[in-house]
Amino acid sequence: MSYVIAVANQKGGVGKTTTSINLAASLAATKRRVLLVDLDAQGNATMGIGVDKSTVVKTARDLLLEKAKPGEVIQYLPAVGLSLMPANGDMTEAEIKLRDVAAGDFALKTVLAEVADQFDFVLLDCPPALSKLTVNALVAADGVLIPMQCEYYALEGLTALMDTVNKIKRVINPRLEVEGLLRTMFDPRNNLANDVSNQLLQHFGDKVYRTIIPRNVRLAEAPSHGLPVMLYDAQSSGAKAYLALAGEVLRRHDGGQMRLSA
């Protein structure tokens, strides 16, 4: 059975898509079977992993609305070594129509149940809002990975997300846990960043990943080339950080034997 991680934060620009792409690629590099699910109408994860969203015929929308089967939508990307459930602007239709479906919150869980035996990890790139699609992700997930910048408004946004996670855990998905909090775009020279980082460690302890994702030019450039950073510049600090994060995730779930591909 696959382990499903929702990469979520209702605040935009905190590194959700960057984390989804690069953690997925890093896990795939350890020879795990990985599915990256793009749930955002912007389709940034789709484009950032090298698929032109404008040419995609069937997307996650078609699966959520029961208009297609997983085999018609999920693409295997041999260059990256993982599979993708793509998205584009069509996801807006899913967001609207699922509100009128009695079991609309369970649509993604139903889809993933059909492919659970095909993957070791499923990463869900959520929209930057606590929307119907984000709720679908939290209902389907085993864990929530929360990327966040260490800045003034970060803790306020984290409180709202944690309230949503706890409500879904209590009412719908009792197995849902906070997988971890990931400090992103971190600049150790910034006193505020260090202060917020210390607050996170104080309040959340070992739920905060030891790995810190730095501000890194190569990490920012990679999506424009349709590549995860480890294929764009494997020696960059961003690539090394996401491989370290993959190691942390694996240690939490299967002993962390890093079977790196050649």
Side-chain angles (χ1 to χ4, degrees), residues 16-36:
K16 286 189 300 297
T17 298
T18 297
T19 295
S20 298
I21 290 172
N22 289 293
L23 177 56
S26 296
L27 288 169
T30 70
K31 300 186 179 179
R32 269 63 179 191
R33 301 170 301 165
V34 179
L35 172 63
L36 174 62

Side-chain angles (χ1 to χ4, degrees), residues 3 5 19-35 80-82 120-123 145 230 242-243 245-251 253-254 257-261:
Y3 186 81
I5 301 174
T19 295
S20 298
I21 290 172
N22 289 293
L23 177 56
S26 296
L27 288 169
T30 70
K31 300 186 179 179
R32 269 63 179 191
R33 301 170 301 165
V34 179
L35 172 63
V80 192
L82 56 78
D120 300 309
F121 288 94
V122 177
L123 272 72
L145 191 160
M230 67 181 300
Y242 275 109
L243 194 58
L245 176 63
E248 281 200 68
V249 170
L250 291 174
R251 282 192 293 275
H253 296 289
D254 67 0
Q257 295 180 0
M258 296 287 282
R259 302 188 297 267
L260 284 172
S261 58

Side-chain angles (χ1 to χ4, degrees), residues 133-151:
L133 293 174
T134 300
V135 169
N136 257 266
L138 296 177
V139 170
D142 299 295
V144 188
L145 191 160
I146 306 172
M148 57 185 298
Q149 287 181 265
C150 293
E151 58 182 23

Side-chain angles (χ1 to χ4, degrees), residues 187-235:
D187 184 351
R189 299 168 298 180
N190 186 310
N191 289 334
L192 177 60
N194 285 299
D195 288 345
V196 173
S197 176
N198 290 332
Q199 288 184 56
L200 289 174
L201 289 167
Q202 181 179 351
H203 286 93
F204 294 97
D206 60 6
K207 287 293 186 182
V208 181
Y209 289 109
R210 286 179 292 175
T211 300
I212 296 175
I213 308 301
R215 286 194 178 276
N216 177 240
V217 172
R218 307 301 269 175
L219 193 56
E221 291 173 346
S224 66
H225 296 270
L227 292 170
V229 69
M230 67 181 300
L231 295 183
Y232 180 62
D233 185 351
Q235 299 305 311

Side-chain angles (χ1 to χ4, degrees), residues 18-194:
T18 297
T19 295
S20 298
I21 290 172
N22 289 293
L23 177 56
S26 296
L27 288 169
T30 70
K31 300 186 179 179
R32 269 63 179 191
R33 301 170 301 165
V34 179
L35 172 63
L36 174 62
V37 178
D38 192 348
L39 293 173
D40 192 348
Q42 296 178 83
N44 289 338
T46 299
M47 296 288 285
I49 204 73
V51 175
D52 186 347
K53 65 184 180 182
S54 67
T55 65
V56 174
V57 177
K58 294 183 183 294
T59 68
R61 180 274 315 259
D62 298 284
L63 288 175
L64 294 172
L65 299 181
E66 299 182 341
K67 295 182 177 181
K69 296 293 184 183
E72 300 176 87
V73 177
I74 295 173
Q75 304 180 25
Y76 180 68
L77 309 177
V80 192
L82 56 78
S83 296
L84 171 71
M85 187 187 297
N88 56 27
D90 292 347
M91 293 301 292
T92 303
E93 180 186 355
E95 171 71 34
I96 294 170
K97 289 190 173 180
L98 286 175
R99 297 173 188 170
D100 299 324
V101 177
D105 291 343
F106 295 87
L108 182 59
K109 181 178 181 179
T110 301
V111 169
L112 295 181
E114 296 185 47
V115 297
D117 62 343
Q118 299 175 30
F119 301 101
D120 300 309
F121 288 94
V122 177
L123 272 72
L124 312 176
D125 183 37
C126 298
L130 296 178
S131 62
K132 177 64 77 171
L133 293 174
T134 300
V135 169
N136 257 266
L138 296 177
V139 170
D142 299 295
V144 188
L145 191 160
I146 306 172
M148 57 185 298
Q149 287 181 265
C150 293
E151 58 182 23
Y152 180 72
Y153 292 110
L155 295 176
E156 182 179 350
L158 179 60
T159 299
L161 178 58
M162 292 299 292
D163 287 345
T164 301
V165 169
N166 289 331
K167 181 177 180 181
I168 289 177
K169 177 180 174 66
R170 185 174 64 253
V171 177
I172 303 176
N173 181 6
R175 75 179 187 284
L176 183 64
E177 300 289 347
V178 173
E179 168 71 18
L181 281 75
L182 178 66
R183 292 162 287 178
T184 61
M185 292 175 266
F186 192 83
D187 184 351
R189 299 168 298 180
N190 186 310
N191 289 334
L192 177 60
N194 285 299

